[in-house]
Every structure is written in structure tokens, then in C-alpha cells.
Amino acid sequence: MADRPIEPRKTVCPYCGVGCGITYDASSESAIGWNGPVNTRREICPKGATAWEIVDHEERLTEPLVRESGELVPTSWETALDRITSSFERIVSESGPDSVGFFASSNCTNEENYVLQKLARAIGTNNVDNCARLCHSSTVAAMRERFGAGAMTNTLEDLREADAYLVAGANPAEQHPIIFRSYLLPAIQNGTTLIHVDPRENDTTRKATHHLPVRPGYDIPLINAAAKVILEEELTDGAFLADRVTGLDAFTAFLEEVDVDENARLAGVEPATLRDAARAYADAERAAIFTGMGMSQHHCGTDNVHALLNLALLTGNVGRRGTGVNPLRGQNNVQGAGDVGALPNVLPGYRDVIDADAREDVAGVWGFEPPDRPGLTEVEMTHEFGESIHGAVIFGENPAVTEPNANRVRDQLDRLDCLVVLDLFLTETAERADVVLPGSAWAEKGGTVTNTDRQVMRMRPNTEPPGEARLDLAVLCDLGQRLTDVSFDDAEPASVFEEIRRVLPQYAGMSYEGIGTGSQRWPFPDGVDEGIGVLHTDQFESGRKTAELRAIDHVDPVDPVSDEELVLTTGRVIQQFNSGALTRRSGTLVRMRGDDVLQIHPDDAERRGIADESTVRVANGRGEVTVEADVTPAIRRGTVFATFHYADPLVNRLTGDTLDPVAKIPEYKHSAVTVSVTPS
Ligand code: SF4
């Protein structure tokens, strides 16, 4: 690190969607918080505090690598880029533009993601996606369809005013720690009710007044039963229903068939507990829903979120401060990567690729019209590797660890003619690449990111990339210059942001300078002074005054579970992040008990002769892992829990790749497995 100049400047944490302000601190030689738009008192969590270790890490890639005789060997940028150019030109000329695919990155900047999706479309394919597909694509699909915007309806600031929080399938105490500690917890300590829907007890549950330990895969029966209680006990908001909601009669008729007790038992919760929770939500003057991957990562994820939207509409908890439906986004720019069009079915601003007017509008700025056929999603692309897709660029993602059914994904990655990985480290995906390009870390780049409550914030370089590593935006622009006929010769974040503003209506009124060290929030139309905080106040973002109530039927989980099997569900812990490509390399965020164990209920453990801290084999038809058992009543009977942060144990060997029919999100939260003592 000694050979790199360092100038501490205000930038944004590279990890979760909270978007805390961090910067380099010379006295501690580590990252510290500054009073950013979200962490106004400079607070940061353990991941943010160790973020500098990644920048300065000895395993950073510092020169390009190409595969020669089966081995990755160092080379020059010119040779690496020539290899990519010739391979991609050959593949596209032989098999057409849809024979290549691009994985954008939801922890890289808006400008980088924008350039990558434009590059793909300039080649002539919509095969571009980002890992928002794996976390909240179902949430975005449901909210966009019913409300007109796939994002938090409210702001962190106004959500302090809620009288009740319904947190469904999320664990913000560990996964979004600064939101929890600085926004939710003070309200809870002041009397706000917390209802937690989660199959296991965790740090969020410990602050809850109501806990609904739902059976994975049975959220819809639970939510429909809550809706029935609200309707039966006349806890609805009559004025809101009359003015802003359609479909009440049909929805009432649908709920007549719902038996609250039966649904509660199906969902694995006590009927009385469910009734109390429904009353607590509906009785509150202002009630806010937070939703996470426990809801969205199912083969019925879109329907799960549709069911939640029904609760908000029935009770008039939309369009006011302290209310709404608020997805807690995972990575620091997962919202922005979608906003700028790194998705196979929409252009920047969520305008459908099949919409001729939308294509014409971007063509006016880009100078070419994007293809009109939706591309493949991330999981669909992996299934086509070696089949219809022969070349792929994977930017800042690690699908060899994060995609479901990982054994299959690894086999298919190996079948590509040309796999290009742009990353910081030789990840489990990069190890399989034909060309590896060394990119830039959070502390080396400028540009913008968009956090979970729609705030666009600026990143600023604190130092330069190490060795021969280059800025990601410059690398992507270079690829654009080489692989397309379109000009990508301006790799300045401010210029790219200006172009984003011109094609993305929600960002039209923003300015790079105007963001400064604060933030600007979308939607920010041209000609107004500031972005809009609470959405859907007088009308929905869909342009309609009303949204419909919708009957949502339960769909059985994909994996049938025999008497001998248990249901595996997955999640995160505070000290690790996603595939662990960054956090696993931290010397401080060492493995802690809970990181990589299998939580199993004492009754399930006893039946199988499993002792606490013993090594167990977890298996199904897709693969197997060995892992340490954590015998604990924190997890409900019949369900086991593991994190997905590790390449060993690689829990995604066990998860299924059946897709939600609308959002194409895979089923991560319900996999049938056998759990047995490992033979000694
Ligand atoms: Fe970074 Fe999220 Fe922690 Fe804030 S809460 S420091 S954004 S990981």
C-alpha cells in the first residue's frame, strides 16, 4: 500500500444497501464513518469498519490473467483485451448477439452498471442482469405492477414515526444494522410495536413484541389469514378503501373461503398469536411493512409480496409518513443497478424493452436502438452457458457461490468458450475464467450509488488501484470501444451520470454537483427542487389514483418434504456479506460461531442422534455439504438454517433453481434435505 497516495475523501460503504458514509482514517489506518445522509452520527457496523482491509489486501489482483494450457498466467492489458475482443467477435459472428451474456454488479456504481448494460445492448442483446435478480426481483415485480414503483414507498426518516413495524422475512438487526440501530430501535424503545415474521429467532426477534415463526414456504396462508382477521374485525380503513382501492368485493369473497385457524396451522404459527399480530398491525395509526429475502426468495416470491401489499391497502397504510411497504435492499447499489437498466427486460428507468416508445427515446441519446426481445435473467443465463451462450462477462459477482444449485452452475461456467471476470480477487468464479481483469475497490472509484431508500449518493476515490489494476469504469468503456461500433470514449463518472439523467426519468432533475456530500432522492423529475420522499400520496406512481386488492392463492413448495427430511432455509449474519468474497478475506471479520453452522432444533437433532457441535452431513439430490451442528431452539422444528457466505461449506449446492414465474427469482428458502451424523 505504501506506493499508493492516499487522500481521505467522503465516500460510501461497499457493503449493504443502507449506504453509510465512510472514509479512510490515517490515524487508525482503517475505514471510519462520516456524518453521511443515512449514518448522520457517523455510526457504522463491523463490516464498514473493516472495509479498508479489502482495499489494502495482499491477495488483490494487480495484473490481468489469461488462461494458457489450463493455467491462469499474468499478461498485459493489451493481450487480455485482445483475447476478449477476438473471442467475442468470433462467438457473435458465429452464433449471433444472444450467444453472449453480461452479469452487472449491484455493489458497483450506477455509471459502471449503466455502461455495461449499454454495451450489451450495443452488441445487440438484452442478456444483461445483476444479482438483484437473486434477492428482490420479485418484490420489484409486484410493487411495480400494483403501485408503479419497485422501491421503498417511504424514507428511513419518516419511518421513525411508525406506531407499528411488520418485519417480514428480514433480520435488519444483523443485515441492515445501522437502519435497525439508528431508525427502528429508537422508535421501538419509544413504544413502536415490532411484529417479526421469521422461521427463527434472531437479533431482530429479541426486540419484537410478536414473533410469527412461519414455516418456510407458507407465507401466503399466514398473510391471507391476517387479512381475514383485519376484515372480520373491521380493522380496515374505510375511507382509504373507498378512495384509493379497487377490487374489495372480489377480495372479500376470496377471504370468505379462508379459515384463519387452518391457515395459521398450515403456516406453523399459533392462531391466537397470528390474530394478535394482525390486530397490532391494523390497529396502529401508522404501520410500516419491511420486507426481505425471506419473502422474496421463493418460487412464489412475487405472490408473497402481492399478499403483503394487500395488508397495506386494506389498512390504508400507504402514502403517508410512517407507513408503506419497504423492501430492505441487499447490496449497496442493488437499487441503482436496476434503476439504470442492468436488467434483461427493461431499459433505464424500468421502461420495458418491448415498448417501442421507450426504445426510441433511448435511441435518441444512444444513437442506436436496443433490441426489442427481453434477454435472459442471471439464472437462465447460467443454464444456457455452453448451450446457447458461449461468452460471458461477469463483473463484480461470484455466481459460483451465490447462484442456486451451485454444482450445476460450476459445471456450466466451465462450458463457456470465453468467460471474462472483472473483479478484485481470484474468486471462485474467477478461478474458472479464461480472462481475469483486475478492477477497482470502493476506495478507488468515483460515481454514484443508490441506497435502499432511493438516495443517490456520490463515491469519491481515496487512493488509486494497486499495480496494474484499473478503474472499473475505464475497463468497461474500453470493452465498449472494442466490442461495439458505439463510442464509449468518455469514462468520467460525471459525464456518464449526465447521460443517465437524460435517459432515466426518475433521475432527470438531479445533478452530479448538486448531490455533493449529501444525496438526491428519486423520483426527482426535471424542473422541481428536490426528490419525492413518501411515494403514492395522492396517486400511485403507476399514474393511477387507485391500486387493486388481489386474491393470492397459496402455492405448495417445490421440494416435497418426506418424514425423514427437513427444510433447509438460508440467510446472512452480521459479520459476513453475500458470497464472502470480500468479508472472508478480512483479518478482523474472522469466522464466528454461527457463521457457518447448521442450526437445528433439539427435537430434530435428538431424533437423528446429532449432538451440539458435531459434524453433520446435509444432502439432497443436488449435492451435499458437511457442516457443524448448532443445536438450538432458535430455529423452528422441521427447519434447519445455514448461511450462504462460504465456498466451503457451499450451501448453495443444496438450493434449488426452480424460478418464480414472474420475476424469475430462484427458490432459495425451501429445500428438502436429509441431515445425518457424519461417519467417523
Ligand atoms: Fe456498511 Fe451497511 Fe454496515 Fe452501513 S450498515 S457500515 S452500509 S455494511
Side-chain angles (χ1 to χ4, degrees):
M1 193 62 214
D3 57 342
R4 286 197 275 170
I6 303 177
E7 182 188 349
R9 299 174 77 201
K10 292 177 174 177
T11 190
V12 183
C13 176
Y15 291 117
C16 85
V18 178
C20 296
I22 64 169
T23 185
Y24 177 72
D25 173 55
S27 61
S28 61
E29 297 185 353
S30 65
I32 58 167
W34 56 277
N35 52 336
V38 179
N39 58 330
T40 54
R41 290 172 294 135
R42 302 169 187 252
E43 61 273 39
I44 53 175
C45 81
K47 287 191 289 287
T50 56
W52 188 261
E53 294 178 26
I54 301 313
V55 180
D56 209 10
H57 200 281
E58 61 185 12
E59 291 174 15
R60 280 287 298 271
L61 293 166
T62 56
E63 52 194 346
L65 307 172
V66 291
R67 192 166 295 281
E68 299 287 359
S69 306
E71 299 291 318
L72 283 170
V73 296
T75 191
S76 68
W77 274 97
E78 199 59 26
T79 302
L81 293 172
D82 281 350
R83 172 84 70 97
I84 298 167
T85 310
S86 60
S87 297
F88 272 58
E89 282 178 354
R90 177 182 52 77
I91 292 167
V92 171
S93 83
E94 287 175 1
S95 309
D98 286 335
S99 60
V100 292
F102 297 84
F103 282 32
S105 176
S106 51
N107 67 359
C108 291
T109 67
N110 287 322
E111 293 70 21
E112 291 154 357
N113 282 290
Y114 175 79
V115 165
L116 186 60
Q117 62 81 34
K118 183 177 166 185
L119 184 169
R121 285 162 171 148
I123 288 176
T125 183
N126 282 315
N127 286 346
V128 59
D129 203 4
N130 74 87
C131 74
R133 179 69 46 205
L134 308 180
C135 59
H136 268 299
S137 57
S138 46
T139 316
V140 171
M143 294 187 71
R144 187 167 161 247
E145 188 190 343
R146 301 267 290 282
F147 288 4
M152 275 179 68
T153 56
N154 285 61
T155 71
L156 294 172
E157 193 57 43
D158 78 74
L159 287 166
R160 295 179 199 265
E161 298 171 20
D163 301 300
Y165 296 132
L166 167 57
V167 177
N171 175 15
E174 292 191 70
Q175 294 159 355
H176 300 83
I178 300 305
I179 287 182
F180 192 76
R181 278 186 237 155
S182 302
Y183 293 84
L184 273 64
L185 194 53
I188 293 164
Q189 286 164 340
N190 254 336
T192 298
T193 300
L194 172 59
I195 304 154
H196 194 210
V197 179
D198 199 298
R200 69 186 189 115
E201 282 178 33
N202 50 46
D203 285 356
T204 300
T205 325
R206 289 184 246 292
K207 301 297 179 191
T209 37
H210 307 261
H211 179 212
L212 304 178
V214 65
R215 262 171 94 192
Y218 291 84
D219 302 288
I220 292 171
L222 182 142
I223 300 166
N224 283 344
K228 176 78 177 267
V229 172
I230 290 167
L231 208 61
E232 264 181 355
E233 301 191 11
E234 298 181 356
L235 301 173
T236 55
D237 181 333
F240 188 86
L241 285 172
D243 198 35
R244 303 288 308 275
V245 176
T246 60
L248 179 60
D249 290 346
F251 191 62
T252 304
F254 166 72
L255 289 184
E256 275 169 14
E257 303 300 315
V258 169
D259 181 310
V260 173
D261 290 3
E262 197 179 300
N263 273 31
R265 278 190 285 274
L266 190 60
V269 302
E270 288 296 324
T273 311
L274 186 148
R275 287 177 191 277
D276 282 350
R279 290 179 195 124
Y281 171 77
D283 270 342
E285 172 61 27
R286 298 169 189 270
I289 293 173
F290 291 92
T291 179
M293 297 195 298
M295 283 283 144
S296 59
Q297 285 186 325
H298 284 288
H299 78 295
C300 53
T302 304
D303 277 352
N304 283 350
V305 177
H306 275 306
L308 280 177
L309 299 182
N310 286 338
L311 293 186
L313 291 174
L314 274 179
T315 55
N317 278 306
V318 187
R320 293 183 293 131
R321 295 176 67 83
T323 68
V325 179
N326 299 285
L328 291 166
R329 307 304 300 261
Q331 304 206 55
N332 75 336
N333 197 34
V334 66
Q335 182 67 56
D339 294 350
V340 301
L343 297 168
N345 58 330
V346 291
L347 298 166
Y350 301 98
R351 302 186 71 193
D352 292 317
V353 296
I354 57 171
D355 176 349
D357 292 340
R359 292 197 307 277
E360 195 179 319
D361 286 348
V362 296
V365 177
W366 291 356
F368 68 92
E369 188 160 314
D372 60 3
R373 202 162 62 102
L376 299 178
T377 63
E378 275 203 8
V379 182
E380 289 173 327
M381 279 193 263
T382 64
H383 293 175
E384 286 301 314
F385 286 169
E387 301 288 337
S388 67
I389 294 182
H390 306 293
V393 174
I394 295 181
F395 168 43
E397 290 202 5
N398 192 8
V401 174
T402 56
E403 297 279 329
N405 200 353
N407 285 346
R408 174 181 179 178
V409 169
R410 288 173 175 219
D411 286 347
Q412 304 225 227
L413 283 166
D414 292 341
R415 294 179 60 199
L416 285 164
D417 285 356
C418 183
L419 171 59
V420 180
V421 172
L422 170 55
D423 215 314
L424 306 181
F425 296 102
L426 196 63
T427 63
E428 291 75 12
T429 304
E431 285 171 358
R432 293 172 159 74
D434 299 287
V435 183
V436 180
L437 304 175
S440 44
W442 62 274
E444 294 150 6
K445 58 173 73 174
T448 60
V449 288
T450 307
N451 85 335
T452 194
D453 75 335
R454 296 177 274 118
Q455 296 187 68
V456 179
M457 302 180 239
R458 273 179 56 185
M459 301 192 70
R460 293 175 179 79
N462 284 238
T463 186
E464 298 167 353
E468 299 295 313
R470 294 180 60 198
L471 292 174
D472 293 332
L473 188 59
V475 176
L476 295 169
C477 286
D478 249 14
L479 287 175
Q481 289 287 84
R482 284 169 168 263
L483 297 176
T484 76
D485 297 328
V486 176
S487 173
F488 284 91
D489 61 357
D490 191 344
E492 282 303 314
S495 320
V496 179
F497 185 81
E498 178 56 25
E499 186 176 314
I500 292 172
R501 234 179 42 77
R502 290 170 61 207
V503 297
L504 207 170
Q506 293 90 334
Y507 287 33
M510 297 178 189
S511 80
Y512 199 70
E513 284 306 311
I515 294 170
T517 53
S519 68
Q520 292 184 334
R521 176 179 276 120
W522 74 257
F524 195 144
D526 213 3
V528 301
D529 293 337
E530 60 181 358
I532 298 167
V534 179
L535 298 180
H536 319 305
T537 50
D538 298 320
Q539 66 171 22
F540 289 91
E541 288 294 305
S542 59
R544 294 186 293 271
K545 189 175 182 191
T546 58
E548 65 154 352
L549 285 164
R550 183 174 296 185
I552 302 296
D553 286 313
H554 168 65
V555 197
D556 278 333
V558 183
D559 272 6
V561 185
S562 71
D563 283 350
E564 297 310 308
E565 289 174 317
L566 297 168
V567 174
L568 170 69
T569 196
T570 63
R572 291 185 282 179
V573 288
I574 188 169
Q575 63 275 18
Q576 293 295 333
F577 198 70
N578 284 11
S579 85
L582 303 185
T583 47
R584 278 190 269 131
R585 288 182 164 85
S586 161
T588 310
L589 296 174
V590 290
R591 279 192 187 200
M592 291 165 54
R593 186 134 208 273
D595 273 20
D596 60 351
V597 295
L598 186 84
Q599 288 191 331
I600 182 169
H601 191 276
D603 293 350
D604 294 324
E606 186 182 356
R607 189 174 159 202
R608 290 162 179 79
I610 293 170
D612 193 30
E613 299 189 24
S614 63
T615 303
V616 294
R617 174 180 179 269
V618 189
N620 61 20
R622 293 179 283 270
E624 65 175 75
V625 299
T626 51
V627 61
E628 182 185 316
D630 175 16
V631 179
T632 169
I635 185 75
R636 57 170 296 128
R637 278 181 200 82
T639 300
V640 289
F641 170 87
T643 71
F644 49 68
H645 303 302
Y646 289 92
D648 182 17
L650 181 57
V651 169
N652 275 326
R653 288 188 203 282
L654 303 164
T655 51
D657 49 13
T658 303
L659 303 180
D660 174 284
V662 177
K664 312 279 182 74
I665 196 169
E667 176 59 75
Y668 279 111
K669 298 300 191 205
H670 184 288
S671 308
V673 293
T674 57
V675 182
S676 53
V677 176
T678 313
S680 48

